[in-house]
Amino acid sequence: KEGKMEDNNGNQEREYIRRHHKHELERENQCSTTLVKHINAPVHIVWSLVRRFDEPQKYKPFISRCVVKGNMEIGTVREVDVRSGLPATRSTERLELLDDNEHILSIRIVGGDHRLKNYSSIISLHPETIEGGRIGTLVIESFVVDVPEGNTKDETCYFVEALIKCNLKSLADISERLAVQDRTGGFP
């Protein structure tokens, strides 16, 4: 039974990616990747963090501050301050999609003092059954970005993937801690 569930999960993953994570490479000097993370917490808990376009620092460890200009609708812009240690201090990002029914968030970077030009990302959340019959969340995040002059596609993708993996690990840690609190009715 478990092997079949894995096959179905793999097929389901591919279907979610096909349906929600289409990035058209508009230029030859772009790269794109899709990352997957399984989180031992229900979708509503994970989504409560992801959907907060106005508070990405809740789970993104490289963001120190965020100021939103607008009403949390498509086109809303946020100014993000980046923690030291990265080759940037700020980023200007626009909300492209926020779908509370399908659990999809998409952003586009429109400015800042970094090298991520024409960057856009999509993150989608999907319920899944995990060990013991509990409900978990399959998180899929994909991006497309220009390859900066002087870098290779591999270097660019590796850098962005490392940031996203760090964000997804933090998202998993925080969500799983909240799920335990939710199940036990308080702090563990």
Side-chain angles (χ1 to χ4, degrees):
K1 240 181 174 182
E2 282 181 20
K4 188 156 177 68
M5 277 179 35
E6 284 180 32
D7 289 346
N8 289 339
N9 285 343
N11 290 336
Q12 195 67 50
E13 259 179 42
R14 283 189 290 282
E15 177 58 23
Y16 292 141
I17 291 168
R18 186 191 66 72
R19 192 178 329 148
H20 303 297
H21 295 269
K22 294 180 198 154
H23 288 286
E24 298 297 323
L25 297 180
E26 298 167 1
R27 290 173 286 290
E28 197 175 299
N29 71 328
Q30 290 186 311
C31 69
S32 180
T33 304
T34 301
L35 296 121
V36 173
K37 180 76 173 172
H38 300 273
I39 298 180
N40 294 322
V43 169
H44 75 274
I45 289 176
V46 182
W47 184 243
S48 72
L49 296 165
V50 170
R51 76 169 311 282
R52 295 303 304 262
F53 179 75
D54 58 334
E55 292 185 324
Q57 68 273 26
K58 290 270 188 196
Y59 77 93
K60 292 184 175 186
F62 298 112
I63 295 177
S64 60
R65 190 173 81 98
C66 175
V67 177
V68 172
K69 300 170 183 168
N71 298 338
M72 289 292 294
E73 57 196 20
I74 304 307
T76 297
V77 173
R78 69 184 179 194
E79 291 286 338
V80 171
D81 292 341
V82 179
R83 292 192 189 282
S84 63
L86 288 178
T89 58
R90 64 179 178 74
S91 181
T92 306
E93 303 168 355
R94 183 176 63 227
L95 181 62
E96 299 287 304
L97 175 66
L98 177 63
D99 186 328
D100 282 317
N101 295 322
E102 293 285 329
H103 303 109
I104 303 170
L105 175 81
S106 177
I107 66 147
R108 176 175 297 278
I109 294 179
V110 294
D113 65 346
H114 50 73
R115 299 181 72 200
L116 299 179
K117 303 296 180 224
N118 293 310
Y119 178 93
S120 67
S121 72
I122 300 168
I123 186 167
S124 65
L125 279 53
H126 312 276
E128 67 177 356
T129 304
I130 53 178
E131 77 282 338
R134 288 205 323 266
I135 300 299
T137 302
L138 168 65
V139 179
I140 304 171
E141 186 162 355
S142 60
F143 70 89
V144 64
V145 67
D146 288 358
V147 176
E149 195 171 312
N151 288 88
T152 66
K153 284 186 179 186
D154 285 346
E155 290 167 338
T156 303
C157 276
Y158 180 81
F159 174 75
V160 177
E161 286 170 16
L163 290 176
I164 291 173
K165 285 177 183 175
C166 187
N167 289 340
L168 292 176
K169 182 182 181 327
S170 175
L171 178 62
D173 292 346
I174 293 165
S175 297
E176 290 168 1
R177 195 167 42 248
L178 290 171
V180 167
Q181 292 172 12
D182 198 44
R183 283 194 302 271
T184 60
F187 292 93

